[in-house]
Amino acid sequence: MIRTLLRSAGALAVTGLASTAAFAQEAAEAAAAVPNPGNNAWMMTATVLVLLMILPGLALFYGGLTRSKNMLSTMTQIGATAALAMIVWVMWGFSLAFGSTSYEGTLGLFISGGSYFLSGMDASTTAATFTDEVISEYVFVSFQMTFAAITAALILGATAERMKFSAVMAFVPIWLTIVYFPIAHMVWAGGGLLFEDGALDFAGGTVVHINAGVSGLVLAYLLGKRRGYPAEPMPPHSLTMTMVGTGLLWVGWFGFNAGSALEADGFAGLAMINTFVATAAGALAWMVLERLAGHKGSALGFCSGVIAGLVAVTPAAGNSGPFGAILLGIASSAVCYFAVTKVKAKFGYDDSLDAFGIHGVGGIVGAIGTAIVYQPFLGGPGDGSTGVVEQLGIQTYGVLVTIAWAGLGTLIAAFIVKALIGLRVSEETEVDGLDISEHGERAYN
Amino acid sequence: MKFIIAVIKPFKLDEVREALGGIGVAGMTVSEVKGFGRQKGQTEIYRGAEYSTNMLPKVKLEIAASDDLAAQVVETIQTTAGTEAIGDGKIFVLDLASATRIRTGETGETAL
């Protein structure tokens, strides 16, 4: 029973209006389901909490990590990306991910259709949750919209300080269409490839973090290193802002994770406590690792550990017990620490703000680790009907499919943009800083 | 008259000021400065990437003193600002050609 419930949870939303919409509509005809105001209120709150993660959370987090001449550029790219993603979402994004028309056969594994421009929706239509409750369809559409927006914005951490603003604006709608919407459908919608295989992703470990991280890595390789990297020092210009952004991300993440329960119920509560403790464990673990490496426990280490913990607990938020979540936060911090301090230097890619190093790598740790913490012997909510090894196989398969899809799709999207307008700013623009060259403003006067 | 420039560790400023007041120094100018000497600098680490900062924060004192007082000023700074650790700073003494108090137009040692 719980297993079924959680699969749906992974499905995020069963939202899959594909499977559930039909179901919800049948139910609606029978009894005209009315949204519970409590659930609706929570989901509206959760939705704006995710917006808080983007603006100002992610904008401050990433902005503080750049050099002062690129502060506004980083923040503006994030804001404009999110805005563009919202518009694309209501035009065709929701349709491809969770639209009302299910396709038969192979196509249905990757996308859905119908509901273009939100056709067929009004204030009285509803979307199913994981129980017999419903929430207003507009609320569900908005909630999912914020996920598409933040995922696209997360990528920009890998490309900061050197990607043209126009290239970002051209890349985002193409990338959303060929990468994000299909992956969201595959993982979260009934009939989706990974959903049907039983992949667990409560709030977006694969859909959001692995997806954004891998896409960022591919773009970082295509763009090349920033001028002067790694010989020239490029320390963060304001860790104060990064710390403020980290706090806003942590707060907003409760909307992300606890909102993914789609109701204000016990699973939302489980996701909430997991989001507290995994993050706390991740933050402390990173600082301990710094000490063990012979350094000082740093503010950026704390912030990095917070994000590593948050990312890892995302797929496990409703699929783990609190102590499993703590283990996951620690494991994620350790692996991400290794990725950003050792692996990045060894391979020489310029993932400017560690979008891949923390979101991509932490997402992989979280997605695979979910198979373990889901099990009842670690206090997870699973009923043990799917063994650890079997679930590990499913999770790993989901991770590999996501990496391949995101990698290939990003390559295609980036080559289209490169051919049309080019990806990278001129050398002069880069040296002057993108704030003044791309936007005609300075962050600080 | 002598013009004394001393570069010291910032945390020693209050102690030095108090000691100088005790021997009759009537005024000084203090600036926050950055520089390096034998200490070279320090290392900052951001997410595993090391940056060596070759300038360290110091405080610079500028004091004009009569010839009689100058040696005492130097000695007082040397003893109060010292920690016996690297990076304690330096004291430079220059000849001072003239001094004028703007308000009254007094010149020479009476202007100090």
Side-chain angles (χ1 to χ4, degrees), chain A residues 45-130:
Chain A
T45 307
T47 302
V48 294
L49 280 172
V50 184
L51 178 62
L52 184 79
M53 292 172 73
I54 308 171
L55 285 173
L58 187 67
L60 284 172
F61 178 77
Y62 274 172
L65 290 174
T66 59
R67 288 168 289 176
S68 56
K69 62 183 179 181
N70 295 314
M71 171 67 169
L72 279 184
S73 147
T74 304
M75 297 180 90
T76 310
Q77 286 185 7
I78 288 168
T81 290
L84 185 55
M86 291 174 195
I87 303 301
V88 171
W89 178 255
V90 296
M91 291 195 289
W92 68 84
F94 178 79
S95 310
L96 296 182
F98 303 115
S100 51
T101 305
S102 305
Y103 294 116
E104 296 297 321
T106 312
L107 185 61
L109 295 173
F110 302 106
I111 56 167
S112 52
S115 309
Y116 292 102
F117 294 86
L118 306 188
S119 56
M121 278 178 219
D122 61 39
S124 68
T125 55
T126 57
T129 66
F130 303 119

Side-chain angles (χ1 to χ4, degrees), chain A residues 234-235 295 304 353-354, chain B residues 45-48 50-51:
Chain A
M234 298 179 183
H295 308 310
S304 308
L353 315 179
D354 296 314
Chain B
I45 298 175
Y46 298 99
R47 266 194 197 149
E50 290 195 14
Y51 304 111

